[in-house]
Amino acid sequence: HLLAARNDKLVDQILANVLVLIDPIQNPDGRDRFVHYFEQARGLEPDASPVAAEHLEPWPGGRVNHYLFDLNRDWIALTQPEILDQVKTLREWFPLVYVDLHEMGADSTYFFSPEADPYNPHLTADQRQSLKLFGQNNAKWFDHYGFDYFTREEYDAFYPGYGASWPEYYGAIAMTYEQASVRGLVVRRSDETLLTYRDTVRHHFVSSVSTLETASVNREKLLDNFYKYRVTAIEEGTKEPIKEYILPRSRDASATDKLVGILLEHGVEVKRATAPFHAGDRDYPAGTYVVPMAQPSKRLIRTLLDPQTSMDDKFIAAEEARRKLKERTEIYDVTAWSLPLLFNVEAVANNAVTQGNFEMAKPGRVLPGETHEAKGMLAYLVPWGSEAAGRLLAAALRQDLKVFSSDKPFTQNGTKFPAGTLIFKAAGNPADLAEHLARLARETGADVYGVNSGWVDEGVNFGSRYVLPVRKPAIALAWDTPTAASSAGAARFVLERQYGYPVTPVRTAQLDSVELARFQVLILPDGGSYAALLGDAGIQRVKAWVQAGGVLVALGGAVGFLTDSRVGLLDTVQENLVRDTGEKTPEADRGAGAAVTPAGGGGRGGGAGPRGAGTLIASDADYEKAIRATNELPDSAPGAIVRARIRPDFWLT
């Protein structure tokens, strides 16, 4: 339209003031699946029935990409190439207005800004004002054409990892526009009106041109706000209590390196210590990372690295009131995302600017590991407990190297090696084992230690019964219903793309007939109804395979399959919340409030009869206590990151 329109004053104004970048298809894999299925299912004419096959895609649906990721949730983790390339392009151009055009359920209308509460606290007042400005102009045009719409409902602005969120943290205005979807060419809605594909295209077209008009008219304001956003970010970074984050490499160096690599891909400036330094009450070694707050990305840094991003008190109070009444939460989606907690690495908030010797950190998620000692060693050790060690193990198994793992920790030559440490014995491995491992150390980031004796200072020797061979496993992954596509895709992606190890996806319905003995590991992704799908025969096959030594891994809801009474592979006890209600009455034990019995007594017919003991409700607090169940399931939390303490000597850990 912008290229073809002639003698159109609005288009001329837009082209004079606005540079427009268009990404027509964010998810080509999902779109191909969607269109291909629709063409397979369509009949003589488009079917408006919402239950027609053409509207209901089979697993995994069209929303997800090749590895079944929801690309609209990947903007802070940056795992998928589609989003990583968008972020790279946005950082090159810094567009000041970003719109992500989406679809929602057919019975909705159209959503645009301003968003619902809660807002992320790192969004500025200028941004919130501009969001309203764009919404008002969209409303003007939708009113002109008689299109229905809604704002300030359902879609909040809290999570920074949407496409319609991430650009706000470099200073842009970012919005999601949601159109009721046809999932085809025409659909009948619950109010019996027909929604056509043409309608949906027209609505998105009008909102897009309206957005360009708003950007054009407010060009100078948007440029000024963008500049102020980045300058004030630097100023806040110099004044606020947190002056920098220190990221030591002590807990898991490879995970810390990966986190820093992701921060660099976000455009964050990170320093790396070239010498030891002291900060706060700690000494830090060379290689430690420091993320200063006095930079334009300060607000992005805080929302990514802070352990807690708080919602405003008013929204929390409203949520608590809804929770008390057992009403549905109004939180839309993700509420917990602190990257240091997700990566299980340290992030130390420092209230001063560290002095020392630093260089700018270099891009890259994997730094080469070190090889201590070289050729002619009796064995080579790789300490367990890091992502890098996992990558090296996967690569070594694929290259058919012989590797052992110690179930017990040990100390050798003053160096402590944790349980799980990998042991590559020279005997039984290729003559060029040292070169093999040196290359793998560079590629995976793992450290390799050569030793010339099996004698240890403390712990188990290499010939101990606690030192066991690691066999090269064949891994099967349940694929298709009833798995959650996102869980199945993520499990496969992590193993194949982050650890470089192949996986065999097996249609879940085939697990009752496939020869499971070919596999050593079976992964059941998050999902339900495994038992119903497999049936008694399938359940018995899986149980027999486990009893013969197979390793069964259940994720999320799939744990319910292991605990199912028909399966019985894992024992659980339901956890209940028991409330302290003070002195219990029989009525309170039943979870009901007791009213005072009227003096006239009697039931519905008014006849006299035995009276139960009354309960005096003397205050609002007594009333609240009386009506609450004394025994109920714990509340459901929309999102949380939980610190867990495990027993390392238990079989599951």
Side-chain angles (χ1 to χ4, degrees):
H1 178 73
L2 297 178
L3 293 173
R6 294 290 183 268
N7 301 317
D8 186 319
K9 291 183 179 180
L10 178 55
V11 170
D12 291 342
Q13 180 195 59
I14 290 169
L15 293 179
N17 293 329
V18 176
L19 177 63
V20 184
L21 296 92
I22 302 173
D23 183 359
I25 303 174
Q26 176 171 279
N27 182 5
D29 295 305
R31 181 185 183 277
D32 280 354
R33 276 198 309 274
F34 186 99
V35 173
H36 181 64
Y37 174 74
F38 173 76
E39 292 175 345
Q40 279 185 320
R42 67 184 301 181
L44 178 64
E45 60 184 17
D47 194 328
S49 171
V51 300
E54 64 194 63
H55 299 296
L56 302 170
E57 283 182 276
W59 191 95
R63 181 179 181 90
V64 289
N65 74 343
H66 176 75
Y67 269 100
L68 311 189
F69 272 69
D70 179 351
L71 296 176
N72 197 40
R73 303 298 189 280
D74 194 47
W75 285 72
I76 59 174
L78 302 184
T79 67
Q80 302 302 294
E82 298 92 334
I83 302 305
L84 191 57
D85 280 348
Q86 277 207 66
V87 165
K88 180 181 177 182
T89 303
L90 291 173
R91 287 182 53 214
E92 290 172 354
W93 289 89
F94 284 130
L96 304 192
V97 180
Y98 182 98
V99 176
D100 210 347
L101 298 168
H102 278 250
E103 291 187 317
M104 54 184 167
D107 280 328
S108 295
T109 56
Y110 197 97
F111 170 84
F112 47 73
S113 294
E115 287 75 13
D117 287 330
Y119 276 74
N120 190 293
H122 296 291
L123 300 181
T124 66
D126 283 343
Q127 287 174 310
R128 296 188 63 166
Q129 182 186 37
S130 292
L131 289 170
K132 184 177 180 181
L133 200 64
F134 281 90
Q136 287 173 324
N137 200 56
N138 290 344
K140 178 192 75 174
W141 284 106
F142 273 52
D143 290 344
H144 174 78
Y145 289 111
F147 302 157
D148 288 332
Y149 57 89
F150 67 97
T151 64
R152 301 182 182 89
E153 294 179 53
E154 191 166 353
Y155 302 105
D156 62 50
F158 190 64
Y159 175 54
Y162 307 120
S165 300
W166 186 87
E168 292 181 301
Y169 298 92
Y170 67 70
I173 305 303
M175 300 167 284
T176 183
Y177 291 174
E178 297 275 352
Q179 163 65 51
S181 178
V182 181
R183 301 288 194 270
L185 294 179
V186 61
V187 68
R188 179 176 291 104
R189 301 199 275 195
S190 59
D191 63 359
E192 297 301 317
T193 59
L194 294 179
L195 179 66
T196 68
Y197 179 62
R198 181 185 185 278
D199 295 330
T200 67
V201 174
R202 188 182 182 202
H203 298 162
H204 267 331
F205 172 79
V206 170
S207 67
S208 297
V209 177
S210 168
T211 299
L212 293 174
E213 179 187 32
T214 308
S216 174
V217 171
N218 295 278
R219 170 180 173 274
E220 293 185 5
K221 169 183 167 58
L222 293 170
L223 287 166
D224 184 60
N225 286 352
F226 173 73
Y227 176 76
K228 283 167 54 181
Y229 179 95
R230 297 176 72 78
V231 170
T232 56
I234 298 173
E235 294 171 351
E236 290 176 4
T238 63
K239 298 175 182 177
E240 291 179 348
I242 299 179
K243 301 294 190 299
E244 62 187 17
Y245 267 108
I246 301 173
L247 305 177
R249 300 177 75 242
S250 53
R251 186 177 296 170
D252 181 347
S254 58
T256 306
D257 294 338
K258 181 179 177 181
L259 173 55
V260 168
I262 292 172
L263 292 176
L264 294 171
E265 290 164 350
H266 280 297
V268 173
E269 297 173 11
V270 183
K271 301 186 297 184
R272 188 172 186 271
T274 57
F277 66 93
H278 183 86
D281 57 357
R282 286 180 60 174
D283 292 318
Y284 295 94
T288 299
Y289 299 103
V290 174
V291 186
M293 293 298 115
Q295 59 173 294
S297 299
K298 171 256 169 182
R299 297 181 179 97
L300 176 64
I301 297 167
R302 289 293 305 273
T303 198
L304 294 184
L305 300 187
D306 282 2
Q308 168 80 6
T309 300
S310 297
M311 299 175 181
D312 67 84
D313 294 340
K314 183 179 178 182
F315 179 80
I316 289 292
E319 275 289 291
E320 285 296 304
R322 285 186 284 269
R323 187 169 67 94
K324 194 173 182 180
L325 296 173
K326 306 294 185 184
E327 292 180 352
R328 187 177 69 88
T329 177
E330 290 192 3
I331 294 172
Y332 177 66
D333 202 8
V334 184
T335 62
W337 60 81
S338 173
L339 293 187
L341 295 181
L342 293 179
F343 279 78
N344 195 27
V345 300
E346 271 195 286
V348 181
N350 190 23
N351 60 5
V353 176
T354 296
Q355 303 300 313
N357 299 315
F358 296 94
E359 62 181 7
M360 299 308 294
K362 298 177 176 60
R365 299 190 183 187
V366 178
L367 296 186
E370 298 181 5
T371 302
H372 306 267
E373 303 293 344
K375 300 179 180 179
M377 298 287 106
L378 175 79
Y380 298 87
L381 310 178
V382 178
W384 193 246
S386 68
E387 291 187 5
R391 289 193 291 263
L392 186 141
L393 173 61
L397 292 175
R398 293 199 69 188
Q399 295 178 21
D400 294 321
L401 299 181
K402 299 295 186 294
V403 56
F404 294 78
S405 175
S406 175
D407 273 357
K408 300 280 188 179
F410 59 90
T411 302
Q412 189 176 45
N413 297 329
T415 301
K416 295 182 178 181
F417 293 92
T421 290
L422 306 178
I423 302 172
F424 294 86
K425 301 176 183 179
N429 272 305
D432 59 350
L433 176 63
E435 287 79 5
H436 265 291
L437 293 176
R439 184 181 69 255
L440 292 182
R442 290 193 300 271
E443 294 173 353
T444 66
D447 292 337
V448 178
Y449 296 79
V451 295
N452 55 17
S453 173
W455 177 261
V456 296
D457 306 330
E458 186 179 353
V460 297
N461 298 94
F462 301 162
S464 166
R465 64 189 177 95
Y466 293 107
V467 175
L468 304 171
V470 180
R471 295 180 174 85
K472 181 179 180 179
I475 302 175
L477 173 68
W479 201 249
D480 211 333
T481 53
T483 71
S486 58
S487 178
R492 188 178 182 186
F493 176 82
V494 166
L495 288 168
E496 289 190 347
R497 296 297 174 177
Q498 295 189 334
Y499 286 92
Y501 202 87
V503 175
T504 300
V506 178
R507 300 286 179 190
T508 313
Q510 291 183 299
L511 291 177
D512 65 349
S513 59
V514 72
E515 190 178 346
L516 288 177
R518 293 171 177 260
F519 302 98
Q520 287 73 52
V521 178
L522 170 61
I523 301 173
L524 301 181
D526 185 17
S529 306
Y530 279 102
L533 181 70
L534 293 176
D536 291 339
I539 290 171
Q540 292 308 313
R541 284 176 59 85
V542 171
K543 289 185 66 174
W545 175 80
V546 171
Q547 289 161 356
V551 175
L552 183 61
V553 180
L555 305 177
V559 174
F561 171 73
L562 307 186
T563 65
D564 191 294
S565 60
R566 291 167 290 179
V567 181
L569 285 173
L570 192 63
D571 188 30
T572 61
V573 176
Q574 179 170 294
E575 179 183 344
N576 292 306
L577 181 65
V578 179
R579 301 186 183 278
D580 181 11
T581 59
E583 184 179 353
K584 294 181 179 178
T585 66
E587 291 81 3
D589 283 337
R590 291 197 297 270
V596 177
T597 305
R604 297 185 72 178
R611 298 181 180 182
T615 300
L616 178 62
I617 299 177
S619 66
D620 288 345
D622 286 348
Y623 172 73
E624 292 292 342
K625 191 177 292 186
I627 66 172
R628 297 298 297 273
T630 57
N631 194 341
E632 60 184 352
L633 289 174
D635 292 328
S636 173
I641 300 173
V642 180
R643 185 186 304 279
R645 180 175 295 157
I646 63 171
R647 282 190 53 170
D649 56 342
F650 186 59
W651 68 270
L652 191 59
T653 56

